[in-house]
Every structure is written in structure tokens, then in C-alpha cells.
Amino acid sequence: MPKRVLCAALALPLCCAAAESDSWITTDRPDFVDAPEVVGKGRIQLETGLLQSKEARSTPLLLRVGVTDDLELRLESDGRLTDRSDPARTRGWGDAAASFKWQVREGEGGAPSVGLIMQADFATGSREFKGNGTRPSFRVPIEWELPHDLELGVMPGYYLDRDESGRHVSTGQFGITLAKNLGERAYTFVEVATPRIARARDGGTTASFDFGGGYSFTRDLHVDAGVMLGLNRRTPDLAFTVGLSVRL
């Protein structure tokens, strides 16, 4: 991703305060489990932030464009990456990914909201950080509204990775999150996430316990923060993220 594009994207939330809509903004960060909801027809939403652990730093970026009331197109990247485990502090750009999200159904009558995300990751990043070839995946975010302003979300998924020799590697994904709404503007959450479920010979499983929350200054401007605690040796012991999301 060219540097000028990332700089423009990061500046956009500060200079594009759009007219407020009737609904409050819903984001797909900072937790691993995505929301089933889409941004809505004709809306554009930018979600960006900083993610840092002892081993690495990244600036994830997600651009969401509403095509219809139940379909959105998405473009995302890990943005600018730094390998903090390397004394040379190697830096570069992450791969880009394109996807769409379809809100299959809205929750009502005790039934959950259901979404579907189909994605392809492309080897477009810097040499030190890019993956191997095109990697397809899908995720199914599911969300129940519970009493006392609680929301329960689960998200199974599948990711077809490639190793350095080009061999296809099938991996699973799963997350479960419990969120508490604190009025219309704020929420907190706890989560168990397994972004990668794989056999040891294929790199093994990564897992974390996450917690955090967010606050909406307006219906279209939202800030968030989260902490991730690694649950096994393949996952960073501690990571944190802060982010900003704006809907136009």
C-alpha cells in the first residue's frame, strides 16, 4: 500500500465529520469477532488503529463501502509493519485483502443476527512480510441480543493458507465474545479468540483472551481500545490496540 494512501486514510477521520445518521456506528474492531451488521447502502466507513506487541507493531486499516442495505464491499490491510523481535527493526507494508460482507438475517424474536464474510488475501506486501499467493477464507459472525444489554457473538471461519513451498494449508478460525452495552455510546467486551487453528506441522494454533471497549463521540465517530493476553506459546504474551472509526 503506498505511503501516501495510508496517510490520507489516517487523516480522513479528522477532516470528514459527516452528518449524523439515525443509527449508532457499529465496528468490526477491536475484538476478533466481527459484527453481522453492514454499514448500509451508500455509506462509507473507515476503521484504523495501532496494534502493538513485544514482537510486532502494525497499523490495521479497514475500508467498508455499503452497496445495498445488506451488502458491503471491504478492503483491508495490516498497514505499516515493524518486526520488533528483529534488532534491525525490519519495516514494511502488509498484504492487502478484499472481501464482501452479507448480512444474511437480522436478529428478531430471540433469533440471532447472522452475517457472511468472503475474503481473499493477496501477496501485495513488502518482501519481508508478504504471504504466499492468494489465500481465500470465509467467516460467519453470529450475534444474539441477551437481557441486561448483553450481546453474545460467535464467529467460526475457515482460511486456506499456503506455506513457503506453495502447499495449501487448511486452518480454522473461531471466536466467542460477550459485550455489555453501557447506554448508546459505550460498551465493554471480553473474548476468547483463536484466529488460527492448525496442526503443529502447519504452524499450530494461536489463541488469546481479549478485553476492552469503545465509546462513540457521535453517531458516526467512535474510538476503541483492547488488550490481548496470549493463551499459548505461539501467541504473543501481551498485545494492545487503540483505534478510531468514522462513518461517512
Side-chain angles (χ1 to χ4, degrees):
M1 180 182 294
K3 186 174 181 180
R4 69 184 63 178
V5 175
L6 180 63
C7 292
L10 293 174
L12 185 60
L14 303 178
C15 61
C16 296
E20 294 187 349
S21 64
D22 293 335
S23 63
W24 289 86
I25 185 173
T26 300
T27 71
D28 280 345
R29 55 160 299 121
D31 52 347
F32 170 71
V33 176
D34 295 324
E37 292 80 15
V38 297
V39 296
K41 183 178 180 179
R43 304 305 300 265
I44 297 174
Q45 186 163 310
L46 180 68
E47 303 178 15
T48 187
L50 171 71
L51 174 63
Q52 180 160 314
S53 69
K54 182 179 179 180
E55 294 80 9
R57 179 188 298 128
S58 64
T59 55
L61 180 69
L62 171 62
L63 179 65
R64 306 167 60 182
V65 180
V67 179
T68 69
D69 288 335
D70 56 12
L71 181 69
E72 70 180 32
L73 299 180
R74 301 153 62 90
L75 179 65
E76 63 184 300
S77 171
D78 285 331
R80 187 68 173 171
L81 299 173
T82 302
D83 183 357
R84 304 183 74 226
S85 65
D86 180 1
R89 295 293 176 98
T90 303
R91 293 175 173 83
W93 298 98
D95 286 349
S99 62
F100 71 82
K101 182 197 283 190
W102 173 36
Q103 186 171 0
V104 179
R105 60 177 293 177
E106 296 184 13
E108 55 184 358
S113 299
V114 180
L116 173 64
I117 301 173
M118 300 291 293
Q119 181 167 311
D121 289 67
F122 305 101
T124 57
S126 302
R127 180 175 57 85
E128 299 84 353
F129 298 106
K130 70 179 179 181
N132 298 295
T134 300
R135 293 93 67 196
S137 63
F138 72 86
R139 307 188 295 279
V140 183
I142 306 169
E143 186 176 270
W144 289 265
E145 291 189 1
L146 304 178
H148 309 296
D149 294 321
L150 294 172
E151 293 180 350
L152 176 66
V154 298
M155 189 175 72
Y158 173 80
Y159 182 82
L160 186 59
D161 202 356
R162 289 191 182 191
D163 62 18
E164 293 182 356
S165 66
R167 180 178 65 92
H168 286 100
V169 176
S170 294
T171 68
Q173 298 178 319
F174 186 78
I176 180 168
T177 183
L178 181 65
K180 168 70 173 179
N181 292 315
L182 307 173
E184 292 182 314
R185 292 179 178 268
Y187 73 93
T188 61
F189 74 90
V190 292
E191 173 184 70
V192 175
T194 51
R196 182 182 178 88
I197 304 172
R199 293 175 293 185
R201 73 171 190 175
D202 295 327
T205 296
T206 59
S208 64
F209 173 75
D210 312 333
F211 62 91
Y215 180 81
S216 294
F217 288 102
T218 71
R219 293 182 185 272
D220 298 312
L221 183 64
H222 184 81
V223 295
D224 62 64
V227 176
M228 288 130 274
L229 305 175
L231 297 179
N232 63 17
R233 61 183 178 83
R234 297 185 180 90
T235 311
D237 292 337
L238 174 66
F240 71 89
T241 183
V242 292
L244 177 68
S245 300
V246 63
R247 182 176 59 180
L248 308 177

